[in-house]
Amino acid sequence: MRDREIICGHCSGSGAATCHSCSGSGHWDCGSCAGTGYRGTMKTQIESSYGTTYVKVPQPCGSCGGSGRVECRKCGGSPLTTCRKCGGNGSF
């Protein structure tokens, strides 16, 4: 039988720790567009009184929806996960 509980030094007794997969940011840069939010361009025709002009319009990335970031799968977008040392109890 234990006389007293020992506070976890890893999480300071909170039971939560910074996510190691995303370093606490909750997201990663999108691998498909390298974090730019755009993937490729589309040639578009514009009609004007001066004639026809073609311009390249950037297309949003389909993987991240144009944000350039994807949610961390380990923490689900929250920067915290359950402490590995105490199992989320905050003490031993």
Side-chain angles (χ1 to χ4, degrees):
M1 187 167 148
R2 293 176 128 161
D3 293 333
R4 60 184 174 153
E5 292 184 351
I6 299 170
I7 301 292
C8 177
H10 186 71
C11 67
S12 301
S14 70
T18 302
C19 178
H20 293 285
S21 293
C22 64
S23 300
S25 67
H27 66 272
W28 297 19
D29 284 344
C30 177
S32 298
C33 66
T36 64
Y38 297 99
R39 190 169 177 193
T41 57
M42 184 174 84
K43 192 174 181 181
T44 304
Q45 180 178 336
I46 299 174
E47 299 287 337
S48 70
S49 59
Y50 298 107
T52 303
T53 304
Y54 293 94
V55 294
K56 290 183 177 181
V57 179
Q59 296 298 298
C61 176
S63 298
C64 65
S67 70
R69 302 187 297 181
V70 291
E71 189 176 88
C72 175
R73 283 178 253 147
K74 182 164 181 131
C75 67
S78 165
L80 301 174
T81 58
T82 303
C83 178
R84 296 181 296 170
K85 303 284 184 186
C86 66
N89 296 321
S91 61
F92 301 99

